[in-house]
Amino acid sequence: MSSDHTHETDAPPLTETIAPGTASDPPVSGTERATVTVDGTDVTVEPGSTLLDAVEAADTDDTVPALCHYDREDEIGPRSECRTCMVETDANGVVPACSHPAEDGATVRTAADPAAEARDVNLDLVLSDHNLRCTTCGKNGRCELQDAAIDQDVQEPRYGVLDDRDAYEPLDDTSSFIQIDRNKCILCNRCVEACNDVQVEGVLRVEGSGQDTRIGFQSDVETMEDSACVSCGHCATVCPTGSLVEKGIEDATTIPLPGFTQKNSVGKSYERHGKSKGPMTPKKRVDSPATRDAPADDGDDADGGEWP
């Protein structure tokens, strides 16, 4: 056996300092419009469209939720994580509509038994790992998972729900701007891609494996307060559930019940141990009344902390 080894200098230098999102789906591309038959209705979609685009254009009677899909920005998804958007096709069988390309001449059936059953099972699997205390949630009434469960007429998830208080993760209430409740996270990855691929801040990541998979911080800290978050709020904007909520409206849609609140429904929470960091994004720092006319400083705030 040869004792020669490749010199370290032969490898290109590492230049990536911010881990990108974890998208692994092949790009949905095309140069021509495609006509797809959805539940007997022919619809024509633009180049680069998915079967989900065709289903939405056809306005079918059957609901096809897509909890990990975010259709307002090209940089986020498609993910094919939750598999709640399964449809049946002639050519490929049951496929996730959010990431499967719309090919000319394709036939899609949303109400086919295998597809409908797959959507129901996968939605119940998502619900089984979710804290369903909706009355204490800041996204009550504007939660995509809640909407999907109502549309699918879920009365009792077949696999139960997350209701073991010893298994709850503490509520992260340390940030002045964003509250994190991982017990409501469905691991759709939207927030990670918004943070890394759209805002290019490199704060969030997916960490762990199996049942221990969670959204964490690239700086290896435990709380949002100690992370490098610049408080742009994009992660909370794209979150489909109450896992990420802007501070100040975390209780806006809760239903007050005596002795039952968001925090005691979880049981544990991390609280902020310092003073508010104030505006953290460069634009907000410049435009803030407290800093607009203030002399330039060396980057340290009045509390002894440091603005990113």
Side-chain angles (χ1 to χ4, degrees), residues 114-128:
E117 178 66 10
R119 291 197 301 271
D120 288 347
V121 167
N122 290 332
L123 179 58
D124 282 344
L125 284 170
V126 173
L127 291 168
S128 72

Side-chain angles (χ1 to χ4, degrees), residues 25-262:
D25 297 308
V28 178
S29 59
T31 58
E32 298 182 357
R33 303 175 76 188
T35 298
V36 180
T37 302
V38 181
D39 294 343
T41 300
D42 291 341
V43 294
T44 301
V45 292
E46 297 299 318
S49 297
T50 64
L51 291 183
L52 184 60
D53 295 321
V55 169
E56 291 176 344
D59 192 21
T60 63
D61 291 334
D62 276 69
T63 300
V64 179
L67 296 174
C68 63
H69 177 66
Y70 192 75
D71 61 358
R72 298 184 183 94
E73 296 174 39
D74 292 338
E75 297 91 343
I76 300 178
R79 293 298 314 137
S80 300
E81 292 285 353
C82 65
R83 302 279 169 157
T84 58
C85 65
M86 306 300 283
V87 296
E88 185 178 75
T89 64
D90 281 348
N92 302 104
V94 178
V95 298
C98 75
S99 61
H100 198 83
E103 299 173 339
D104 193 53
T107 298
V108 175
R109 289 177 295 276
T110 62
D113 288 343
E117 178 66 10
R119 291 197 301 271
D120 288 347
V121 167
N122 290 332
L123 179 58
D124 282 344
L125 284 170
V126 173
L127 291 168
S128 72
D129 197 33
H130 188 79
N131 173 9
L132 288 183
R133 300 183 184 275
C134 299
T135 57
T136 66
C137 180
K139 286 282 189 76
N140 185 30
R142 56 192 184 99
C143 168
E144 294 180 36
L145 178 59
Q146 188 182 57
D147 290 343
I150 293 172
D151 289 340
Q152 298 295 96
D153 196 27
V154 177
Q155 300 295 323
E156 184 176 347
R158 71 191 75 187
Y159 306 115
V161 299
L162 176 62
D163 200 26
D164 182 356
R165 289 172 63 89
D166 291 336
Y168 286 167
E169 285 209 52
L171 189 75
D172 186 349
D173 204 29
T174 61
S175 169
S176 303
F177 304 93
I178 300 169
Q179 184 186 80
I180 307 177
D181 186 351
R182 291 185 176 86
N183 305 294
K184 296 168 183 170
C185 177
I186 62 173
L187 296 175
C188 65
N189 207 61
R190 287 188 191 179
C191 61
V192 175
E193 293 191 11
C195 181
N196 298 338
D197 298 339
V198 180
Q199 297 297 332
V200 199
E201 295 296 344
V203 177
L204 301 177
R205 69 180 180 191
V206 176
E207 61 186 23
S209 60
Q211 292 185 342
D212 296 325
T213 304
R214 69 199 291 264
I215 302 298
F217 303 105
Q218 294 195 32
S219 54
D220 288 324
V221 296
E222 182 61 28
T223 66
M224 180 70 91
E225 180 184 28
D226 294 328
S227 75
C229 175
V230 299
S231 305
C232 68
H234 205 159
C235 59
T237 299
V238 302
C239 180
T241 68
S243 185
L244 291 161
V245 181
E246 300 94 332
K247 294 297 286 292
I249 63 173
E250 67 269 34
D251 296 319
T253 56
T254 60
I255 300 176
L257 297 174
F260 192 55
T261 67
Q262 180 194 29

